[in-house]
């Protein structure tokens, strides 16, 4: 299967690569969905959040988890076609550590 260009973060321009990794880590570690202002506060000032969200969203579109926006907040969620395969014990909220 041929990989799409957006499948590899290393293919992104250097100025986006580090910011993309930060964004991914923020969203993955968050105990709840994050709004744009919360994300921007943690990214370097010159980071283009809209572009980074679009790049990350495209990277995860065909994966087991997708980047989704719900009520103006971003989070990773199980891909809709896999949701029925998740046992109830895996569908609980992540608690802050």
């Amino acid at each position: 299967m041929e990989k799409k260009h957006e499948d590899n973060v290393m293919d992104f321009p250097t100025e986006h690569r580090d910011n993309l990794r930060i964004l991914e880590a923020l969203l993955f570690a968050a105990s709840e969905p994050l709004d744009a202002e919360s994300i921007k506060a943690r990214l370097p000032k010159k980071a283009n959040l809209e572009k980074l969200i679009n790049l990350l969203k495209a990277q995860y579109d065909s994966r087991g988890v997708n980047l989704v926006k719900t009520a103006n907040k971003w989070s990773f969620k199980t891909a809709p076609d896999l949701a029925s395969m998740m046992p109830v014990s895996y569908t609980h909220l992540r608690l802050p550590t």
Side-chain angles (χ1 to χ4, degrees), residues 35-93:
D35 62 27
E37 291 307 313
S38 297
I39 297 168
K40 285 179 187 177
R42 293 172 176 91
L43 289 173
K45 288 183 182 184
K46 293 185 179 186
N48 182 333
L49 180 58
E50 184 176 348
K51 183 171 184 101
L52 292 170
I53 288 282
N54 288 335
L55 289 169
L56 195 59
K57 190 171 181 335
Q59 188 177 2
Y60 278 90
D61 274 349
S62 62
R63 309 284 301 264
V65 294
N66 301 142
L67 180 58
V68 297
K69 185 177 185 180
T70 306
N72 289 321
K73 295 184 178 186
W74 292 96
S75 64
F76 286 116
K77 300 219 183 231
T78 302
D81 62 315
L82 300 177
S84 65
M85 300 173 82
M86 297 296 106
V88 174
S89 62
Y90 290 159
T91 60
H92 65 280
L93 295 174

